[in-house]
mmCIF file of all heavy atoms in Angstrom:
data_model
loop_
_atom_site.group_PDB
_atom_site.id
_atom_site.type_symbol
_atom_site.label_atom_id
_atom_site.label_comp_id
_atom_site.label_asym_id
_atom_site.label_seq_id
_atom_site.Cartn_x
_atom_site.Cartn_y
_atom_site.Cartn_z
ATOM 1 N N VAL G 153 113.605 -104.224 -17.336
ATOM 2 C CA VAL G 153 114.092 -105.040 -18.399
ATOM 3 C C VAL G 153 113.086 -105.747 -19.236
ATOM 4 O O VAL G 153 113.133 -105.793 -20.466
ATOM 5 C CB VAL G 153 115.091 -106.162 -17.782
ATOM 6 C CG1 VAL G 153 115.518 -107.208 -18.774
ATOM 7 C CG2 VAL G 153 116.296 -105.472 -17.105
ATOM 8 N N ILE G 154 111.988 -106.236 -18.609
ATOM 9 C CA ILE G 154 110.907 -106.924 -19.338
ATOM 10 C C ILE G 154 110.152 -105.868 -20.156
ATOM 11 O O ILE G 154 109.786 -106.221 -21.319
ATOM 12 C CB ILE G 154 109.946 -107.604 -18.271
ATOM 13 C CG1 ILE G 154 110.703 -108.617 -17.448
ATOM 14 C CG2 ILE G 154 108.749 -108.213 -19.002
ATOM 15 C CD1 ILE G 154 111.452 -109.726 -18.165
ATOM 16 N N LYS G 155 109.925 -104.716 -19.599
ATOM 17 C CA LYS G 155 109.276 -103.675 -20.403
ATOM 18 C C LYS G 155 110.061 -103.350 -21.639
ATOM 19 O O LYS G 155 109.491 -103.150 -22.725
ATOM 20 C CB LYS G 155 109.052 -102.368 -19.550
ATOM 21 C CG LYS G 155 107.845 -102.365 -18.703
ATOM 22 C CD LYS G 155 107.576 -101.016 -18.150
ATOM 23 C CE LYS G 155 106.183 -100.961 -17.557
ATOM 24 N NZ LYS G 155 105.841 -99.682 -16.999
ATOM 25 N N LYS G 156 111.354 -103.233 -21.471
ATOM 26 C CA LYS G 156 112.271 -102.832 -22.571
ATOM 27 C C LYS G 156 112.263 -103.938 -23.572
ATOM 28 O O LYS G 156 112.091 -103.760 -24.799
ATOM 29 C CB LYS G 156 113.703 -102.652 -21.972
ATOM 30 C CG LYS G 156 114.632 -101.993 -22.948
ATOM 31 C CD LYS G 156 114.536 -100.497 -22.991
ATOM 32 C CE LYS G 156 115.495 -99.902 -23.936
ATOM 33 N NZ LYS G 156 114.848 -99.753 -25.292
ATOM 34 N N MET G 157 112.354 -105.133 -23.139
ATOM 35 C CA MET G 157 112.365 -106.377 -24.087
ATOM 36 C C MET G 157 111.045 -106.323 -24.880
ATOM 37 O O MET G 157 111.117 -106.511 -26.073
ATOM 38 C CB MET G 157 112.485 -107.586 -23.267
ATOM 39 C CG MET G 157 112.325 -108.890 -24.096
ATOM 40 S SD MET G 157 112.390 -110.381 -23.101
ATOM 41 C CE MET G 157 110.765 -110.453 -22.464
ATOM 42 N N ALA G 158 109.942 -106.227 -24.194
ATOM 43 C CA ALA G 158 108.615 -106.264 -24.805
ATOM 44 C C ALA G 158 108.443 -105.174 -25.824
ATOM 45 O O ALA G 158 107.957 -105.446 -26.954
ATOM 46 C CB ALA G 158 107.535 -106.260 -23.841
ATOM 47 N N ALA G 159 108.994 -103.980 -25.507
ATOM 48 C CA ALA G 159 108.855 -102.840 -26.413
ATOM 49 C C ALA G 159 109.784 -103.043 -27.626
ATOM 50 O O ALA G 159 109.432 -102.933 -28.835
ATOM 51 C CB ALA G 159 109.158 -101.535 -25.748
ATOM 52 N N ASP G 160 111.099 -103.429 -27.362
ATOM 53 C CA ASP G 160 112.132 -103.495 -28.407
ATOM 54 C C ASP G 160 111.764 -104.663 -29.399
ATOM 55 O O ASP G 160 111.986 -104.503 -30.575
ATOM 56 C CB ASP G 160 113.502 -103.777 -27.797
ATOM 57 C CG ASP G 160 114.094 -102.555 -27.176
ATOM 58 O OD1 ASP G 160 113.567 -101.511 -27.345
ATOM 59 O OD2 ASP G 160 115.168 -102.728 -26.536
ATOM 60 N N LEU G 161 111.227 -105.758 -28.860
ATOM 61 C CA LEU G 161 110.951 -106.893 -29.714
ATOM 62 C C LEU G 161 109.454 -106.948 -30.189
ATOM 63 O O LEU G 161 108.967 -107.993 -30.679
ATOM 64 C CB LEU G 161 111.278 -108.156 -28.973
ATOM 65 C CG LEU G 161 112.797 -108.241 -28.584
ATOM 66 C CD1 LEU G 161 113.131 -109.629 -27.878
ATOM 67 C CD2 LEU G 161 113.690 -108.041 -29.796
ATOM 68 N N ASN G 162 108.752 -105.838 -30.012
ATOM 69 C CA ASN G 162 107.352 -105.669 -30.438
ATOM 70 C C ASN G 162 106.492 -106.837 -29.971
ATOM 71 O O ASN G 162 105.721 -107.405 -30.770
ATOM 72 C CB ASN G 162 107.291 -105.591 -32.024
ATOM 73 C CG ASN G 162 108.255 -104.591 -32.554
ATOM 74 O OD1 ASN G 162 109.383 -104.870 -32.892
ATOM 75 N ND2 ASN G 162 107.860 -103.326 -32.470
ATOM 76 N N MET G 163 106.618 -107.191 -28.703
ATOM 77 C CA MET G 163 105.802 -108.279 -28.194
ATOM 78 C C MET G 163 104.359 -107.745 -28.010
ATOM 79 O O MET G 163 104.165 -106.591 -27.581
ATOM 80 C CB MET G 163 106.386 -108.737 -26.909
ATOM 81 C CG MET G 163 107.663 -109.517 -27.117
ATOM 82 S SD MET G 163 108.418 -110.014 -25.551
ATOM 83 C CE MET G 163 109.685 -111.073 -26.135
ATOM 84 N N ASN G 164 103.430 -108.580 -28.343
ATOM 85 C CA ASN G 164 102.065 -108.169 -28.424
ATOM 86 C C ASN G 164 101.323 -108.362 -27.073
ATOM 87 O O ASN G 164 100.414 -109.139 -26.872
ATOM 88 C CB ASN G 164 101.318 -108.926 -29.517
ATOM 89 C CG ASN G 164 100.074 -108.320 -29.927
ATOM 90 O OD1 ASN G 164 99.799 -107.171 -29.599
ATOM 91 N ND2 ASN G 164 99.170 -109.111 -30.539
ATOM 92 N N LEU G 165 101.774 -107.594 -26.068
ATOM 93 C CA LEU G 165 101.130 -107.658 -24.768
ATOM 94 C C LEU G 165 101.472 -106.469 -23.921
ATOM 95 O O LEU G 165 102.333 -105.627 -24.294
ATOM 96 C CB LEU G 165 101.685 -108.940 -24.045
ATOM 97 C CG LEU G 165 103.199 -109.017 -23.812
ATOM 98 C CD1 LEU G 165 103.675 -108.428 -22.478
ATOM 99 C CD2 LEU G 165 103.687 -110.448 -23.911
ATOM 100 N N GLU G 166 100.721 -106.320 -22.799
ATOM 101 C CA GLU G 166 100.936 -105.176 -21.925
ATOM 102 C C GLU G 166 101.695 -105.674 -20.742
ATOM 103 O O GLU G 166 101.270 -106.665 -20.135
ATOM 104 C CB GLU G 166 99.549 -104.573 -21.562
ATOM 105 C CG GLU G 166 99.600 -103.324 -20.692
ATOM 106 C CD GLU G 166 98.221 -102.919 -20.148
ATOM 107 O OE1 GLU G 166 97.207 -103.411 -20.709
ATOM 108 O OE2 GLU G 166 98.178 -102.212 -19.223
ATOM 109 N N VAL G 167 102.774 -104.970 -20.335
ATOM 110 C CA VAL G 167 103.513 -105.294 -19.111
ATOM 111 C C VAL G 167 102.943 -104.393 -17.950
ATOM 112 O O VAL G 167 102.997 -103.151 -18.094
ATOM 113 C CB VAL G 167 104.982 -105.141 -19.301
ATOM 114 C CG1 VAL G 167 105.734 -105.393 -18.016
ATOM 115 C CG2 VAL G 167 105.480 -106.107 -20.386
ATOM 116 N N VAL G 168 102.386 -105.019 -16.926
ATOM 117 C CA VAL G 168 101.831 -104.252 -15.744
ATOM 118 C C VAL G 168 102.799 -104.430 -14.580
ATOM 119 O O VAL G 168 103.214 -105.566 -14.277
ATOM 120 C CB VAL G 168 100.401 -104.836 -15.449
ATOM 121 C CG1 VAL G 168 99.793 -103.993 -14.283
ATOM 122 C CG2 VAL G 168 99.522 -104.798 -16.658
ATOM 123 N N VAL G 169 103.086 -103.314 -13.954
ATOM 124 C CA VAL G 169 104.000 -103.368 -12.727
ATOM 125 C C VAL G 169 103.115 -103.007 -11.512
ATOM 126 O O VAL G 169 102.512 -101.903 -11.506
ATOM 127 C CB VAL G 169 105.201 -102.530 -12.975
ATOM 128 C CG1 VAL G 169 106.120 -102.654 -11.688
ATOM 129 C CG2 VAL G 169 105.919 -102.838 -14.207
ATOM 130 N N SER G 170 103.109 -103.824 -10.470
ATOM 131 C CA SER G 170 102.286 -103.584 -9.290
ATOM 132 C C SER G 170 103.197 -103.379 -8.071
ATOM 133 O O SER G 170 104.249 -103.790 -7.998
ATOM 134 C CB SER G 170 101.416 -104.810 -9.062
ATOM 135 O OG SER G 170 100.654 -105.104 -10.250
ATOM 136 N N PRO G 171 102.588 -102.641 -7.067
ATOM 137 C CA PRO G 171 103.343 -102.215 -5.908
ATOM 138 C C PRO G 171 103.908 -103.359 -5.092
ATOM 139 O O PRO G 171 103.420 -104.433 -5.067
ATOM 140 C CB PRO G 171 102.345 -101.414 -5.063
ATOM 141 C CG PRO G 171 101.167 -101.174 -5.913
ATOM 142 C CD PRO G 171 101.173 -102.086 -7.062
ATOM 143 N N THR G 172 104.915 -103.037 -4.398
ATOM 144 C CA THR G 172 105.598 -104.044 -3.518
ATOM 145 C C THR G 172 104.769 -104.309 -2.281
ATOM 146 O O THR G 172 104.220 -103.364 -1.607
ATOM 147 C CB THR G 172 106.973 -103.501 -3.058
ATOM 148 O OG1 THR G 172 107.745 -103.203 -4.115
ATOM 149 C CG2 THR G 172 107.681 -104.466 -2.099
ATOM 150 N N VAL G 173 104.481 -105.616 -1.973
ATOM 151 C CA VAL G 173 103.766 -105.965 -0.781
ATOM 152 C C VAL G 173 104.773 -106.212 0.326
ATOM 153 O O VAL G 173 105.765 -106.903 0.196
ATOM 154 C CB VAL G 173 102.879 -107.176 -1.060
ATOM 155 C CG1 VAL G 173 102.145 -107.614 0.229
ATOM 156 C CG2 VAL G 173 101.874 -106.932 -2.226
ATOM 157 N N ARG G 174 104.428 -105.628 1.510
ATOM 158 C CA ARG G 174 105.368 -105.713 2.684
ATOM 159 C C ARG G 174 104.795 -106.332 3.870
ATOM 160 O O ARG G 174 103.597 -106.352 4.025
ATOM 161 C CB ARG G 174 105.786 -104.236 2.992
ATOM 162 C CG ARG G 174 106.502 -103.526 1.911
ATOM 163 C CD ARG G 174 106.877 -102.065 2.270
ATOM 164 N NE ARG G 174 107.590 -101.587 1.096
ATOM 165 C CZ ARG G 174 108.857 -101.776 0.749
ATOM 166 N NH1 ARG G 174 109.554 -102.527 1.593
ATOM 167 N NH2 ARG G 174 109.352 -101.283 -0.309
ATOM 168 N N GLU G 175 105.628 -106.948 4.695
ATOM 169 C CA GLU G 175 105.242 -107.374 6.021
ATOM 170 C C GLU G 175 104.915 -106.123 6.896
ATOM 171 O O GLU G 175 105.251 -104.992 6.492
ATOM 172 C CB GLU G 175 106.391 -108.137 6.741
ATOM 173 C CG GLU G 175 106.949 -109.331 5.926
ATOM 174 C CD GLU G 175 105.986 -110.612 5.982
ATOM 175 O OE1 GLU G 175 104.984 -110.500 6.682
ATOM 176 O OE2 GLU G 175 106.353 -111.531 5.327
ATOM 177 N N LYS G 176 104.242 -106.334 8.007
ATOM 178 C CA LYS G 176 103.777 -105.172 8.897
ATOM 179 C C LYS G 176 104.994 -104.312 9.216
ATOM 180 O O LYS G 176 104.843 -103.094 9.332
ATOM 181 C CB LYS G 176 103.163 -105.790 10.111
ATOM 182 C CG LYS G 176 101.733 -106.176 9.988
ATOM 183 C CD LYS G 176 100.916 -106.057 11.284
ATOM 184 C CE LYS G 176 99.478 -106.516 11.064
ATOM 185 N NZ LYS G 176 99.407 -107.981 11.214
ATOM 186 N N ASP G 177 106.161 -104.900 9.464
ATOM 187 C CA ASP G 177 107.347 -104.067 9.831
ATOM 188 C C ASP G 177 108.080 -103.480 8.639
ATOM 189 O O ASP G 177 109.128 -102.914 8.825
ATOM 190 C CB ASP G 177 108.242 -104.897 10.701
ATOM 191 C CG ASP G 177 108.829 -106.106 10.076
ATOM 192 O OD1 ASP G 177 108.601 -106.271 8.892
ATOM 193 O OD2 ASP G 177 109.528 -106.854 10.730
ATOM 194 N N GLY G 178 107.569 -103.620 7.450
ATOM 195 C CA GLY G 178 108.124 -103.013 6.286
ATOM 196 C C GLY G 178 108.984 -103.891 5.385
ATOM 197 O O GLY G 178 109.230 -103.545 4.254
ATOM 198 N N LEU G 179 109.348 -105.053 5.928
ATOM 199 C CA LEU G 179 110.256 -105.938 5.077
ATOM 200 C C LEU G 179 109.431 -106.343 3.840
ATOM 201 O O LEU G 179 108.296 -106.838 3.924
ATOM 202 C CB LEU G 179 110.655 -107.198 5.920
ATOM 203 C CG LEU G 179 111.472 -108.253 5.070
ATOM 204 C CD1 LEU G 179 112.803 -107.680 4.721
ATOM 205 C CD2 LEU G 179 111.578 -109.582 5.971
ATOM 206 N N ALA G 180 109.956 -106.172 2.688
ATOM 207 C CA ALA G 180 109.404 -106.588 1.420
ATOM 208 C C ALA G 180 109.205 -108.176 1.448
ATOM 209 O O ALA G 180 110.216 -108.822 1.756
ATOM 210 C CB ALA G 180 110.205 -106.149 0.235
ATOM 211 N N MET G 181 108.122 -108.585 1.096
ATOM 212 C CA MET G 181 107.865 -110.034 1.060
ATOM 213 C C MET G 181 108.756 -110.669 -0.026
ATOM 214 O O MET G 181 108.932 -110.093 -1.100
ATOM 215 C CB MET G 181 106.411 -110.380 0.755
ATOM 216 C CG MET G 181 105.545 -109.992 1.973
ATOM 217 S SD MET G 181 104.006 -110.850 1.898
ATOM 218 C CE MET G 181 103.249 -110.148 3.290
ATOM 219 N N SER G 182 109.314 -111.811 0.263
ATOM 220 C CA SER G 182 110.210 -112.475 -0.604
ATOM 221 C C SER G 182 110.267 -113.917 -0.300
ATOM 222 O O SER G 182 110.327 -114.296 0.924
ATOM 223 C CB SER G 182 111.596 -111.877 -0.613
ATOM 224 O OG SER G 182 112.593 -112.752 -1.216
ATOM 225 N N SER G 183 110.372 -114.825 -1.288
ATOM 226 C CA SER G 183 110.567 -116.184 -1.001
ATOM 227 C C SER G 183 111.798 -116.448 -0.163
ATOM 228 O O SER G 183 111.843 -117.396 0.606
ATOM 229 C CB SER G 183 110.546 -117.080 -2.284
ATOM 230 O OG SER G 183 109.448 -116.722 -3.099
ATOM 231 N N ARG G 184 112.786 -115.718 -0.362
ATOM 232 C CA ARG G 184 114.065 -115.859 0.273
ATOM 233 C C ARG G 184 114.024 -115.446 1.747
ATOM 234 O O ARG G 184 115.063 -115.700 2.476
ATOM 235 C CB ARG G 184 115.187 -115.040 -0.440
ATOM 236 C CG ARG G 184 115.552 -115.732 -1.764
ATOM 237 C CD ARG G 184 116.799 -115.093 -2.430
ATOM 238 N NE ARG G 184 117.322 -115.852 -3.567
ATOM 239 C CZ ARG G 184 117.091 -115.502 -4.826
ATOM 240 N NH1 ARG G 184 116.347 -114.403 -5.084
ATOM 241 N NH2 ARG G 184 117.598 -116.197 -5.775
ATOM 242 N N ASN G 185 112.987 -114.772 2.260
ATOM 243 C CA ASN G 185 112.925 -114.359 3.627
ATOM 244 C C ASN G 185 112.962 -115.657 4.551
ATOM 245 O O ASN G 185 113.341 -115.524 5.692
ATOM 246 C CB ASN G 185 111.707 -113.546 3.978
ATOM 247 C CG ASN G 185 111.786 -112.178 3.337
ATOM 248 O OD1 ASN G 185 112.820 -111.744 2.825
ATOM 249 N ND2 ASN G 185 110.679 -111.462 3.257
ATOM 250 N N ILE G 186 112.515 -116.770 4.012
ATOM 251 C CA ILE G 186 112.500 -118.003 4.748
ATOM 252 C C ILE G 186 113.958 -118.436 5.213
ATOM 253 O O ILE G 186 114.125 -119.145 6.232
ATOM 254 C CB ILE G 186 111.873 -119.193 3.874
ATOM 255 C CG1 ILE G 186 111.677 -120.420 4.776
ATOM 256 C CG2 ILE G 186 112.672 -119.568 2.738
ATOM 257 C CD1 ILE G 186 110.384 -120.338 5.517
ATOM 258 N N TYR G 187 114.973 -117.988 4.498
ATOM 259 C CA TYR G 187 116.337 -118.229 4.892
ATOM 260 C C TYR G 187 116.790 -117.578 6.172
ATOM 261 O O TYR G 187 117.802 -117.886 6.818
ATOM 262 C CB TYR G 187 117.276 -117.717 3.862
ATOM 263 C CG TYR G 187 117.256 -118.364 2.401
ATOM 264 C CD1 TYR G 187 117.526 -117.645 1.295
ATOM 265 C CD2 TYR G 187 116.905 -119.727 2.300
ATOM 266 C CE1 TYR G 187 117.499 -118.227 0.068
ATOM 267 C CE2 TYR G 187 116.856 -120.279 1.008
ATOM 268 C CZ TYR G 187 117.128 -119.562 -0.075
ATOM 269 O OH TYR G 187 117.145 -120.091 -1.363
ATOM 270 N N LEU G 188 116.057 -116.489 6.560
ATOM 271 C CA LEU G 188 116.589 -115.627 7.724
ATOM 272 C C LEU G 188 116.217 -116.339 9.067
ATOM 273 O O LEU G 188 115.086 -116.787 9.271
ATOM 274 C CB LEU G 188 115.833 -114.313 7.667
ATOM 275 C CG LEU G 188 116.047 -113.483 6.346
ATOM 276 C CD1 LEU G 188 114.968 -112.316 6.298
ATOM 277 C CD2 LEU G 188 117.421 -112.969 6.313
ATOM 278 N N ASN G 189 117.242 -116.394 9.959
ATOM 279 C CA ASN G 189 116.928 -116.868 11.332
ATOM 280 C C ASN G 189 116.312 -115.700 12.047
ATOM 281 O O ASN G 189 116.231 -114.553 11.600
ATOM 282 C CB ASN G 189 118.237 -117.378 11.976
ATOM 283 C CG ASN G 189 119.259 -116.354 12.268
ATOM 284 O OD1 ASN G 189 118.925 -115.163 12.533
ATOM 285 N ND2 ASN G 189 120.507 -116.700 12.192
ATOM 286 N N PRO G 190 115.772 -115.868 13.299
ATOM 287 C CA PRO G 190 115.041 -114.846 14.017
ATOM 288 C C PRO G 190 115.800 -113.520 14.165
ATOM 289 O O PRO G 190 115.240 -112.452 13.952
ATOM 290 C CB PRO G 190 114.600 -115.464 15.312
ATOM 291 C CG PRO G 190 114.633 -116.935 15.052
ATOM 292 C CD PRO G 190 115.652 -117.140 13.996
ATOM 293 N N GLN G 191 117.106 -113.634 14.457
ATOM 294 C CA GLN G 191 117.899 -112.473 14.608
ATOM 295 C C GLN G 191 118.085 -111.709 13.342
ATOM 296 O O GLN G 191 117.972 -110.457 13.258
ATOM 297 C CB GLN G 191 119.208 -112.867 15.162
ATOM 298 C CG GLN G 191 119.926 -111.714 15.914
ATOM 299 C CD GLN G 191 121.382 -112.106 16.265
ATOM 300 O OE1 GLN G 191 121.798 -113.253 16.101
ATOM 301 N NE2 GLN G 191 122.222 -111.104 16.655
ATOM 302 N N GLU G 192 118.283 -112.495 12.213
ATOM 303 C CA GLU G 192 118.494 -111.889 10.913
ATOM 304 C C GLU G 192 117.155 -111.257 10.426
ATOM 305 O O GLU G 192 117.152 -110.220 9.804
ATOM 306 C CB GLU G 192 118.927 -112.926 9.937
ATOM 307 C CG GLU G 192 120.383 -113.409 10.151
ATOM 308 C CD GLU G 192 120.698 -114.662 9.357
ATOM 309 O OE1 GLU G 192 119.805 -115.377 8.901
ATOM 310 O OE2 GLU G 192 121.858 -114.988 9.255
#
Side-chain angles (χ1 to χ4, degrees):
V153 170
I154 301 303
K155 275 193 166 179
K156 190 85 182 87
M157 173 185 80
D160 285 351
L161 301 181
N162 310 98
M163 292 178 168
N164 195 19
L165 56 94
E166 185 190 341
V167 176
V168 182
V169 182
S170 306
T172 302
V173 178
R174 299 178 180 282
E175 301 285 357
K176 281 207 181 83
D177 61 6
L179 177 65
M181 291 198 181
S182 163
S183 308
R184 288 190 170 100
N185 291 348
I186 190 82
Y187 295 148
L188 302 167
N189 69 31
Q191 200 189 352
E192 291 167 344

